[in-house]
Amino acid sequence: MEIAPAETVRSAFEAFLRGDLTALQELVDVDLEWTYLDPTVEDPTPATCRGRQELEKATGQWAKMGLATQLEELDGVGDKVAVILHAPGLDRFRARAADDRNFHLVTVRGGKIIAMRACRDRTELRSRAGLA
């Protein structure tokens, strides 16, 4: 029996937050497509990288920041799941302010996360996710 996309995403982000790369890898497709916003640019153009190794690299960078991060919101429609992470102090590490939050639209197929897209704010995230 396949786990619901929202539960797959919750499990993956909880593994990420506790630094459990093994558990995270089990939930992420090896060919993950990850569209991100460069934190060093005030108005970044979305860029895309591929492969689970890029996510692993970013996880290591996140850990070095030492931020106490929590999963603030998770809401899904079909295979799309909107995720909001809150990390007090995050904005001091980037050129644009986002109220110390990261916004991600995650796509799940076959029980694996196949795509993640960073969004600028809650409005963009909810629009892309098809949420009211």
Side-chain angles (χ1 to χ4, degrees):
M1 184 165 102
E2 191 172 312
I3 298 172
E7 288 310 310
T8 297
V9 172
R10 179 180 303 281
S11 295
F13 274 85
E14 287 174 351
F16 162 74
L17 293 174
R18 69 177 181 271
D20 186 348
L21 283 177
T22 302
L24 180 59
Q25 287 175 342
E26 290 176 10
L27 298 166
V28 175
D29 189 83
V30 295
D31 295 321
L32 171 72
E33 180 178 291
W34 182 15
T35 302
Y36 63 95
L37 301 171
D38 183 342
T40 65
V41 178
E42 191 171 323
D43 187 21
T45 300
T48 301
C49 60
R50 288 182 172 66
R52 200 164 48 192
Q53 69 280 0
E54 294 297 327
L55 181 61
E56 292 167 15
K57 194 183 319 178
T59 300
Q61 291 170 339
W62 189 269
K64 288 178 188 174
M65 288 191 282
L67 299 172
T69 306
Q70 56 187 288
L71 181 59
E72 183 174 271
E73 190 175 316
L74 190 140
D75 195 5
V77 175
D79 65 353
K80 305 280 189 220
V81 181
V83 177
I84 300 175
L85 297 177
H86 183 222
L90 176 61
D91 283 352
R92 73 176 183 255
F93 292 98
R94 56 186 174 197
R96 65 181 175 81
D99 199 24
D100 293 327
R101 285 169 173 77
N102 275 339
F103 306 90
H104 297 282
L105 178 61
V106 182
T107 304
V108 177
R109 292 211 183 100
K112 299 272 188 184
I113 294 173
I114 64 161
M116 286 189 356
R117 179 180 180 91
C119 298
R120 295 176 196 283
D121 56 31
R122 184 183 313 268
T123 301
E124 178 187 357
L125 174 63
R126 294 187 65 78
S127 174
R128 288 185 180 279
L131 299 165

